[in-house]
């Protein structure tokens, strides 16, 4: 496997723009999907089965699950496999952990170790505005993030090797910039 040739896309326990995030992920070349335990629960709640995810991605796709206490899959960062770590969508819990350096899930550990290795990260934070309208499994809901969540997003923006985005459009633009910098293109196959 070529050095730093893949995207690592992490999903947390958020349903906020989950469909849109996965749709973007499946358009990327050479991608591995990393799921926290909470992500597995949320995918199921939103009607997405793990076995249905695989066919949506290009050949070579790998699904990595959070099944080890020490986050063994993070070691792939040390093997120089990934050029970019994306966390999308990222719960306020994940954002808070990233801000204070807690690495107790696969996504938070990937974020921390990528930063230590100078691997760029893109985080699609969920609680970024005073009012957030989001799709729950059964309906649309209005949330009012607390000052604490909004402050944590601001603090996340200050972390080295981290770009914070707040919408699917911003996520797509950030990924496009990353693709351009790597001389890569979106996957156009109909996987």
């Amino acid at each position: 496997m070529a050095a730093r040739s893949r995207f690592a896309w992490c999903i947390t326990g958020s349903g906020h723009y989950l469909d849109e995030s996965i749709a973007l992920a499946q358009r990327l070349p050479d991608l591995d999907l990393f799921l926290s335990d909470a992500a597995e629960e949320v995918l199921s709640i939103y009607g997405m089965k793990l076995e249905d995810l695989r066919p949506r991605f290009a050949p070579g796709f790998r699904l990595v699950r959070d099944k080890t206490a020490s986050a063994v899959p993070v070691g792939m960062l040390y093997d120089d496999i990934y050029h970019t770590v994306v966390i999308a969508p990222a719960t306020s819990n994940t954002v808070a952990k990233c801000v204070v350096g807690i690495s107790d899930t696969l996504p938070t550990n990937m974020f921390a170790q990528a930063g230590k290795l100078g691997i760029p990260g893109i985080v699609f934070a969920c609680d970024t505005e005073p009012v957030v309208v989001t799709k729950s499994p059964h309906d649309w809901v209005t949330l009012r993030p607390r000052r604490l969540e909004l402050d944590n997003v601001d603090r996340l923006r200050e972390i080295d090797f981290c770009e914070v985005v707040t919408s699917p459009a911003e996520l797509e633009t950030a990924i496009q910039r990353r693709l351009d910098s790597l001389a890569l293109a979106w996957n156009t196959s109909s996987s």
Side-chain angles (χ1 to χ4, degrees), residues 79-96:
D79 292 335
D80 219 21
I81 294 173
Y82 301 102
H83 53 65
T84 309
V85 172
V86 178
I87 303 177
T91 62
S92 59
N93 186 46
T94 296
V95 169

Side-chain angles (χ1 to χ4, degrees), residues 66-127:
D66 198 354
K67 297 300 175 194
T68 63
S70 62
V72 170
V74 173
M76 290 187 284
L77 288 168
Y78 300 114
D79 292 335
D80 219 21
I81 294 173
Y82 301 102
H83 53 65
T84 309
V85 172
V86 178
I87 303 177
T91 62
S92 59
N93 186 46
T94 296
V95 169
K97 288 179 178 186
C98 290
V99 164
V100 297
I102 296 173
S103 306
D104 64 351
T105 67
L106 190 50
T108 57
N109 211 323
M110 290 291 288
F111 176 82
Q113 299 310 310
K116 292 176 187 180
L117 292 166
I119 298 170
I122 302 169
V123 180
F124 177 17
C126 297
D127 292 331

Side-chain angles (χ1 to χ4, degrees), residues 33-190:
L33 195 62
F34 291 77
L35 304 179
S36 68
D37 286 338
E40 289 196 41
E41 291 175 357
V42 167
L43 285 167
S44 176
I45 291 168
Y46 279 78
M48 294 181 214
K49 297 177 183 171
L50 294 185
E51 59 271 14
D52 295 339
L53 283 178
R54 288 188 195 280
R56 293 175 66 177
F57 290 88
F61 163 78
R62 294 183 288 192
L63 182 65
V64 183
R65 299 167 71 191
D66 198 354
K67 297 300 175 194
T68 63
S70 62
V72 170
V74 173
M76 290 187 284
L77 288 168
Y78 300 114
D79 292 335
D80 219 21
I81 294 173
Y82 301 102
H83 53 65
T84 309
V85 172
V86 178
I87 303 177
T91 62
S92 59
N93 186 46
T94 296
V95 169
K97 288 179 178 186
C98 290
V99 164
V100 297
I102 296 173
S103 306
D104 64 351
T105 67
L106 190 50
T108 57
N109 211 323
M110 290 291 288
F111 176 82
Q113 299 310 310
K116 292 176 187 180
L117 292 166
I119 298 170
I122 302 169
V123 180
F124 177 17
C126 297
D127 292 331
T128 59
E129 301 292 331
V131 176
V132 175
V133 178
T134 190
K135 184 180 175 192
S136 75
H138 308 292
D139 205 357
W140 288 89
V141 295
T142 300
L143 305 175
R144 289 173 180 78
R146 302 167 298 173
R147 180 82 256 152
L148 175 67
E149 283 98 15
L150 299 174
D151 289 347
N152 281 338
V153 172
D154 290 340
R155 291 176 62 200
L156 186 64
R157 287 185 174 100
E158 298 171 10
I159 294 178
D160 295 337
F161 306 106
C162 176
E163 179 177 359
V164 176
V165 298
T166 62
S167 70
E170 283 184 20
L171 178 59
E172 185 171 10
T173 299
I175 292 169
Q176 182 64 62
R177 280 193 304 273
R178 190 70 185 129
L179 287 166
D180 292 345
S181 74
L182 296 164
L184 295 172
W186 295 98
N187 182 358
T188 57
S189 73
S190 58

